[in-house]
Amino acid sequence: MQDTEQTVVGRVLRATTRGFACGTHSRRVGPPHDFGAFVRVPIANDGACCVIGLIYAVEIKDDQLVNELVMADGIDPNVLRDQRENRMVPVEIDVLNVGYGWRDGRGLVVNAAHSLPPRPPMSLTDVELCAAEEVYDFTQSCDFFRLVLNAPDVPSDDLLAAALRYAAFAYPEAERYAFMVRSGRHIARLLGSDLKRLSHVLALIRP
Amino acid sequence: MALEFNKIVEQVHKMSHMLDALDFDLGARLAVARERFANPPPLRVIRERVALVQSPQVSGYRGAIPLNGPAYEPVNAIYPAPPPPPSATIIAADGSQIYPNEQMPFHYYLINVGLFVYHHGASRVPEQLTIPRLAFHKDHVHDARGRVISARTVDARRTVREMQELGRLAWAKRGEARPLIALYDNHLLFGVNADVVGHKAIMRAYMGALVHLHDAGALLAGYVDNPVRSRVVIRLLYLLSLSDDEARRADLSSGGDLEGLKDIHLFNSVLRPGERSAIMVQNSPRNLAYKAGEGGGASYEIAFFYLKTSSGYQSSLARVDIPMWVARDRRAVDELHALLVAQCAMQGRNPYPYALTRADELAVVTGRDKQKLEDMINVELRKRGVEPVRFTAKEWGKALARSPKRKHDMGKAGGV
């Protein structure tokens, strides 16, 4: 989860305290951009305080030339590589804010609050993938579930399930089952009045 | 104030009736042109007629003439696309510019050249390069009287830069797979009027760039998509319909009884996708200067052929200008023909060379780019206590009146 070359997700394009969008080049899209991944980015004018967020959408933009190429019977392999490696095909990643906290001496965000940050990140700030230790620390409490399940315009059920499956890998194997059970119980409390939705989310996170 | 369409509906209907009449007229002339194209006189007669219009007794003929010598191709010859070579290097250049603004306290202009390299037949990522150059020295942005140079001067300098960069790239790539095709997105018979600052030096530089391309062994081609103004072959067909006496008296700068018809009409109707027409040259003083003038030579006379390209969905007609060093080499022409057809089948429905599309994309300077550059320059001006003039009162008034109309939207707030 934490190879230095693979930790940069992109740079902030626009942001609010509820979430932000960051951009990157299509050539760099990889595991750091997985749906449900935990990311962090410093908030505006404060390098120590970071937002913790969940990736909930990855959008690969097109243009008219790409649209034309899609219509072709077959795409020349060199044209394909030119489009993917040379052309500025932008990728936008949407992130939902679920917490914030301060970096420790190692630069990791621990003891984060499960709430919206005081300020959004500034544009062009580097967005990085959270380290396994940060994900482990952040998911010791389930308070951020509420922010995910109540977020508008976000596939919240699938996002929460993807985030929990993602977070499970930050746990030692012996602790994973207990983590998922604990998370499932908390979801049951939050969605107790909506059994259809509850059964859907539980089915998604069943170990 | 938006255009009031209700006031022009009737005018559009009237125009539509006139279009019907025009189309009928063109169809009749096209039938005549096709008949003449299919049955040209013997070569001996064509040569005599061409010799006549090139003699001092007759002037004004700007039509096509067949090539001399072994490269001769019959006027009505049509060639199908040959198979492409197994490997080739295709380079393309295009340019864009920001014109100087007289209102600015500091005068400058920008020329940006985009270059693209496509390795045909090899599994390699294409290469791309842009070369922006900002010109700001007073000797470069002012004429001899201290006035800001014209847009035409910038255009001429851009053309030369495009050809020079194409020449440099061709030279750098001379060790790559052959043939080395150099594509330029315009006609090759470039000329500058005397009102362009430094016009003689510009022409010398342009010819120098052609020599550089020739030395690199590049097969240079100027690609003119949808050449709606060209009528050199129509003029030839008109000339061939005249007797010697009539040719002496006629206005040969027109198409005569085929006036109104363009080469594009003729070749769109006689060429099938992938086919090209015969190679010919245009009879003109400018082409003569290329052939005999300073820095030129017989290898630098500009010839042309028409090519019908296709993507499998749509077809399009192009005029392809080639220098005589390419036109004389049948194998080079075949390779160029085949590779252009292959390039035009690469971008979906749009039958246009992929390399030229990408070179244009690399070269283009958008309005946003221009604004960013202006902002950068304005910061430097302010650092030195010079207040930049962003808008004149007239420009500012237009910008205000034309700005998008704001809606009073009470719905959305926040949200990413």
Side-chain angles (χ1 to χ4, degrees), chain A residues 46-148:
Chain A
D46 189 340
C49 182
C50 289
V51 175
I52 304 275
L54 298 176
I55 293 176
Y56 72 86
V58 180
E59 187 182 2
I60 296 170
K61 302 284 189 181
D62 67 344
D63 62 12
Q64 290 192 349
L65 182 52
V66 171
N67 283 330
E68 282 298 329
L69 290 169
V70 165
M71 301 296 287
D73 290 333
I75 300 182
D76 179 275
N78 287 354
V79 170
L80 200 62
R81 294 179 70 180
D82 181 43
Q83 293 292 318
R84 287 181 175 167
E85 298 181 37
N86 285 336
R87 288 192 78 224
M88 304 293 279
V89 180
V91 175
E92 269 195 38
I93 302 116
D94 292 311
V95 176
L96 177 73
N97 292 346
V98 290
Y100 67 97
W102 280 263
R103 293 176 193 267
D104 65 8
R106 299 166 300 160
L108 300 179
V109 179
V110 289
N111 299 322
H114 289 200
S115 181
L116 296 180
R119 292 189 296 278
M122 287 291 279
S123 53
L124 298 180
T125 310
D126 274 345
V127 179
E128 291 185 313
L129 206 59
C130 287
E133 191 179 336
E134 289 171 305
V135 175
Y136 180 86
D137 184 78
F138 189 79
T139 53
Q140 291 306 303
S141 159
C142 300
D143 293 343
F144 73 96
F145 290 11
R146 175 184 48 85
L147 285 171
V148 179

Side-chain angles (χ1 to χ4, degrees), chain B residues 260-277:
Chain B
L261 204 61
K262 307 288 169 59
D263 289 354
I264 193 171
H265 299 128
L266 174 67
F267 287 108
N268 251 331
S269 73
V270 299
L271 293 179
R272 287 178 301 178
E275 291 179 338
R276 74 164 173 88
S277 68

